[in-house]
PDB file of all heavy atoms in Angstrom:
ATOM      1  N   ARG Z 208     191.487 175.720 -28.446  1.00 93.00           N
ATOM      2  CA  ARG Z 208     191.451 175.596 -29.959  1.00 93.00           C
ATOM      3  C   ARG Z 208     192.113 174.261 -30.413  1.00 93.00           C
ATOM      4  O   ARG Z 208     191.695 173.650 -31.351  1.00 93.00           O
ATOM      5  CB  ARG Z 208     192.063 176.831 -30.617  1.00 93.00           C
ATOM      6  CG  ARG Z 208     191.980 176.894 -32.119  1.00 93.00           C
ATOM      7  CD  ARG Z 208     192.597 178.135 -32.629  1.00 93.00           C
ATOM      8  NE  ARG Z 208     191.917 179.357 -32.101  1.00 93.00           N
ATOM      9  CZ  ARG Z 208     190.824 179.889 -32.595  1.00 93.00           C
ATOM     10  NH1 ARG Z 208     190.272 179.324 -33.695  1.00 93.00           N
ATOM     11  NH2 ARG Z 208     190.303 180.969 -32.062  1.00 93.00           N
ATOM     12  N   ARG Z 209     193.200 174.006 -29.832  1.00 96.00           N
ATOM     13  CA  ARG Z 209     193.943 172.742 -30.231  1.00 96.00           C
ATOM     14  C   ARG Z 209     193.687 171.600 -29.294  1.00 96.00           C
ATOM     15  O   ARG Z 209     193.436 170.500 -29.630  1.00 96.00           O
ATOM     16  CB  ARG Z 209     195.470 173.017 -30.313  1.00 96.00           C
ATOM     17  CG  ARG Z 209     195.856 173.720 -31.599  1.00 96.00           C
ATOM     18  CD  ARG Z 209     197.350 173.863 -31.714  1.00 96.00           C
ATOM     19  NE  ARG Z 209     197.825 175.006 -30.938  1.00 96.00           N
ATOM     20  CZ  ARG Z 209     197.898 176.243 -31.420  1.00 96.00           C
ATOM     21  NH1 ARG Z 209     197.560 176.484 -32.622  1.00 96.00           N
ATOM     22  NH2 ARG Z 209     198.242 177.275 -30.659  1.00 96.00           N
ATOM     23  N   PHE Z 210     193.726 171.862 -27.966  1.00 97.00           N
ATOM     24  CA  PHE Z 210     193.504 170.871 -26.932  1.00 97.00           C
ATOM     25  C   PHE Z 210     192.087 170.241 -27.093  1.00 97.00           C
ATOM     26  O   PHE Z 210     191.936 169.069 -26.844  1.00 97.00           O
ATOM     27  CB  PHE Z 210     193.687 171.472 -25.540  1.00 97.00           C
ATOM     28  CG  PHE Z 210     193.469 170.516 -24.420  1.00 97.00           C
ATOM     29  CD1 PHE Z 210     194.537 169.674 -24.075  1.00 97.00           C
ATOM     30  CD2 PHE Z 210     192.312 170.361 -23.755  1.00 97.00           C
ATOM     31  CE1 PHE Z 210     194.419 168.730 -23.032  1.00 97.00           C
ATOM     32  CE2 PHE Z 210     192.215 169.422 -22.685  1.00 97.00           C
ATOM     33  CZ  PHE Z 210     193.206 168.600 -22.375  1.00 97.00           C
ATOM     34  N   GLY Z 211     191.063 171.025 -27.465  1.00 97.00           N
ATOM     35  CA  GLY Z 211     189.748 170.558 -27.517  1.00 97.00           C
ATOM     36  C   GLY Z 211     189.358 170.013 -28.909  1.00 97.00           C
ATOM     37  O   GLY Z 211     188.239 169.623 -29.152  1.00 97.00           O
ATOM     38  N   TRP Z 212     190.326 169.985 -29.857  1.00 97.00           N
ATOM     39  CA  TRP Z 212     189.971 169.589 -31.245  1.00 97.00           C
ATOM     40  C   TRP Z 212     189.469 168.171 -31.260  1.00 97.00           C
ATOM     41  O   TRP Z 212     188.445 167.980 -31.886  1.00 97.00           O
ATOM     42  CB  TRP Z 212     191.260 169.720 -32.060  1.00 97.00           C
ATOM     43  CG  TRP Z 212     191.098 169.246 -33.512  1.00 97.00           C
ATOM     44  CD1 TRP Z 212     190.653 169.968 -34.579  1.00 97.00           C
ATOM     45  CD2 TRP Z 212     191.392 167.874 -33.973  1.00 97.00           C
ATOM     46  NE1 TRP Z 212     190.610 169.274 -35.738  1.00 97.00           N
ATOM     47  CE2 TRP Z 212     191.022 167.955 -35.383  1.00 97.00           C
ATOM     48  CE3 TRP Z 212     191.914 166.720 -33.410  1.00 97.00           C
ATOM     49  CZ2 TRP Z 212     191.189 166.777 -36.245  1.00 97.00           C
ATOM     50  CZ3 TRP Z 212     192.028 165.644 -34.264  1.00 97.00           C
ATOM     51  CH2 TRP Z 212     191.600 165.691 -35.649  1.00 97.00           C
ATOM     52  N   ALA Z 213     190.081 167.198 -30.602  1.00 97.00           N
ATOM     53  CA  ALA Z 213     189.666 165.859 -30.673  1.00 97.00           C
ATOM     54  C   ALA Z 213     188.277 165.669 -30.050  1.00 97.00           C
ATOM     55  O   ALA Z 213     187.462 164.911 -30.587  1.00 97.00           O
ATOM     56  CB  ALA Z 213     190.702 164.919 -29.891  1.00 97.00           C
ATOM     57  N   ALA Z 214     187.964 166.356 -28.928  1.00 97.00           N
ATOM     58  CA  ALA Z 214     186.633 166.229 -28.310  1.00 97.00           C
ATOM     59  C   ALA Z 214     185.600 166.792 -29.270  1.00 97.00           C
ATOM     60  O   ALA Z 214     184.488 166.151 -29.427  1.00 97.00           O
ATOM     61  CB  ALA Z 214     186.620 167.039 -27.021  1.00 97.00           C
ATOM     62  N   ALA Z 215     185.889 167.853 -30.005  1.00 97.00           N
ATOM     63  CA  ALA Z 215     184.805 168.410 -30.912  1.00 97.00           C
ATOM     64  C   ALA Z 215     184.632 167.461 -32.102  1.00 97.00           C
ATOM     65  O   ALA Z 215     183.483 167.220 -32.547  1.00 97.00           O
ATOM     66  CB  ALA Z 215     185.374 169.782 -31.403  1.00 97.00           C
ATOM     67  N   ARG Z 216     185.752 166.986 -32.635  1.00 97.00           N
ATOM     68  CA  ARG Z 216     185.602 166.018 -33.850  1.00 97.00           C
ATOM     69  C   ARG Z 216     184.933 164.741 -33.469  1.00 97.00           C
ATOM     70  O   ARG Z 216     184.072 164.197 -34.227  1.00 97.00           O
ATOM     71  CB  ARG Z 216     186.945 165.742 -34.401  1.00 97.00           C
ATOM     72  CG  ARG Z 216     187.722 166.954 -34.929  1.00 97.00           C
ATOM     73  CD  ARG Z 216     187.115 167.543 -36.170  1.00 97.00           C
ATOM     74  NE  ARG Z 216     185.930 168.406 -35.908  1.00 97.00           N
ATOM     75  CZ  ARG Z 216     185.906 169.605 -35.352  1.00 97.00           C
ATOM     76  NH1 ARG Z 216     187.111 170.219 -35.066  1.00 97.00           N
ATOM     77  NH2 ARG Z 216     184.853 170.280 -35.181  1.00 97.00           N
ATOM     78  N   LEU Z 217     185.262 164.136 -32.268  1.00 98.00           N
ATOM     79  CA  LEU Z 217     184.608 162.949 -31.889  1.00 98.00           C
ATOM     80  C   LEU Z 217     183.113 163.194 -31.630  1.00 98.00           C
ATOM     81  O   LEU Z 217     182.276 162.337 -31.937  1.00 98.00           O
ATOM     82  CB  LEU Z 217     185.299 162.417 -30.619  1.00 98.00           C
ATOM     83  CG  LEU Z 217     184.785 160.996 -30.127  1.00 98.00           C
ATOM     84  CD1 LEU Z 217     184.968 160.012 -31.231  1.00 98.00           C
ATOM     85  CD2 LEU Z 217     185.568 160.579 -28.824  1.00 98.00           C
ATOM     86  N   ASP Z 218     182.819 164.360 -31.072  1.00 97.00           N
ATOM     87  CA  ASP Z 218     181.398 164.660 -30.786  1.00 97.00           C
ATOM     88  C   ASP Z 218     180.644 164.732 -32.128  1.00 97.00           C
ATOM     89  O   ASP Z 218     179.500 164.335 -32.198  1.00 97.00           O
ATOM     90  CB  ASP Z 218     181.254 165.905 -30.002  1.00 97.00           C
ATOM     91  CG  ASP Z 218     179.813 166.263 -29.653  1.00 97.00           C
ATOM     92  OD1 ASP Z 218     179.203 165.516 -28.854  1.00 97.00           O
ATOM     93  OD2 ASP Z 218     179.302 167.278 -30.152  1.00 97.00           O
ATOM     94  N   ASP Z 219     181.226 165.239 -33.160  1.00 97.00           N
ATOM     95  CA  ASP Z 219     180.585 165.368 -34.510  1.00 97.00           C
ATOM     96  C   ASP Z 219     180.292 164.005 -35.020  1.00 97.00           C
ATOM     97  O   ASP Z 219     179.205 163.707 -35.557  1.00 97.00           O
ATOM     98  CB  ASP Z 219     181.580 166.062 -35.418  1.00 97.00           C
ATOM     99  CG  ASP Z 219     181.721 167.602 -35.193  1.00 97.00           C
ATOM    100  OD1 ASP Z 219     180.844 168.123 -34.465  1.00 97.00           O
ATOM    101  OD2 ASP Z 219     182.649 168.186 -35.683  1.00 97.00           O
ATOM    102  N   VAL Z 220     181.224 163.082 -34.816  1.00 97.00           N
ATOM    103  CA  VAL Z 220     181.027 161.705 -35.275  1.00 97.00           C
ATOM    104  C   VAL Z 220     179.931 161.019 -34.483  1.00 97.00           C
ATOM    105  O   VAL Z 220     179.042 160.404 -35.100  1.00 97.00           O
ATOM    106  CB  VAL Z 220     182.325 160.838 -35.231  1.00 97.00           C
ATOM    107  CG1 VAL Z 220     182.100 159.420 -35.606  1.00 97.00           C
ATOM    108  CG2 VAL Z 220     183.387 161.453 -36.178  1.00 97.00           C
ATOM    109  N   ALA Z 221     179.976 161.117 -33.155  1.00 98.00           N
ATOM    110  CA  ALA Z 221     179.035 160.431 -32.319  1.00 98.00           C
ATOM    111  C   ALA Z 221     177.661 161.012 -32.404  1.00 98.00           C
ATOM    112  O   ALA Z 221     176.710 160.309 -32.355  1.00 98.00           O
ATOM    113  CB  ALA Z 221     179.510 160.530 -30.824  1.00 98.00           C
ATOM    114  N   GLY Z 222     177.591 162.282 -32.726  1.00 98.00           N
ATOM    115  CA  GLY Z 222     176.267 162.929 -32.848  1.00 98.00           C
ATOM    116  C   GLY Z 222     175.621 162.825 -34.158  1.00 98.00           C
ATOM    117  O   GLY Z 222     174.415 163.157 -34.333  1.00 98.00           O
ATOM    118  N   TRP Z 223     176.374 162.319 -35.160  1.00 98.00           N
ATOM    119  CA  TRP Z 223     175.798 162.284 -36.539  1.00 98.00           C
ATOM    120  C   TRP Z 223     174.471 161.503 -36.602  1.00 98.00           C
ATOM    121  O   TRP Z 223     173.515 162.030 -37.223  1.00 98.00           O
ATOM    122  CB  TRP Z 223     176.869 161.790 -37.492  1.00 98.00           C
ATOM    123  CG  TRP Z 223     176.616 161.954 -38.892  1.00 98.00           C
ATOM    124  CD1 TRP Z 223     177.110 163.049 -39.679  1.00 98.00           C
ATOM    125  CD2 TRP Z 223     175.754 161.250 -39.805  1.00 98.00           C
ATOM    126  NE1 TRP Z 223     176.648 162.938 -40.992  1.00 98.00           N
ATOM    127  CE2 TRP Z 223     175.762 161.846 -41.039  1.00 98.00           C
ATOM    128  CE3 TRP Z 223     174.990 160.079 -39.648  1.00 98.00           C
ATOM    129  CZ2 TRP Z 223     175.082 161.335 -42.172  1.00 98.00           C
ATOM    130  CZ3 TRP Z 223     174.329 159.593 -40.732  1.00 98.00           C
ATOM    131  CH2 TRP Z 223     174.387 160.175 -42.005  1.00 98.00           C
ATOM    132  N   PRO Z 224     174.388 160.277 -36.226  1.00 97.00           N
ATOM    133  CA  PRO Z 224     173.130 159.545 -36.436  1.00 97.00           C
ATOM    134  C   PRO Z 224     171.997 160.149 -35.646  1.00 97.00           C
ATOM    135  O   PRO Z 224     170.855 160.199 -36.163  1.00 97.00           O
ATOM    136  CB  PRO Z 224     173.487 158.116 -35.868  1.00 97.00           C
ATOM    137  CG  PRO Z 224     174.658 158.321 -35.046  1.00 97.00           C
ATOM    138  CD  PRO Z 224     175.442 159.426 -35.597  1.00 97.00           C
ATOM    139  N   GLY Z 225     172.280 160.538 -34.419  1.00 98.00           N
ATOM    140  CA  GLY Z 225     171.144 161.160 -33.630  1.00 98.00           C
ATOM    141  C   GLY Z 225     170.614 162.432 -34.206  1.00 98.00           C
ATOM    142  O   GLY Z 225     169.440 162.693 -34.138  1.00 98.00           O
TER     143      GLY Z 225
END
Side-chain angles (χ1 to χ4, degrees):
R208 188 177 300 274
R209 281 183 281 271
F210 183 82
W212 177 86
R216 298 291 77 76
L217 184 58
D218 184 67
D219 288 343
V220 173
W223 196 95

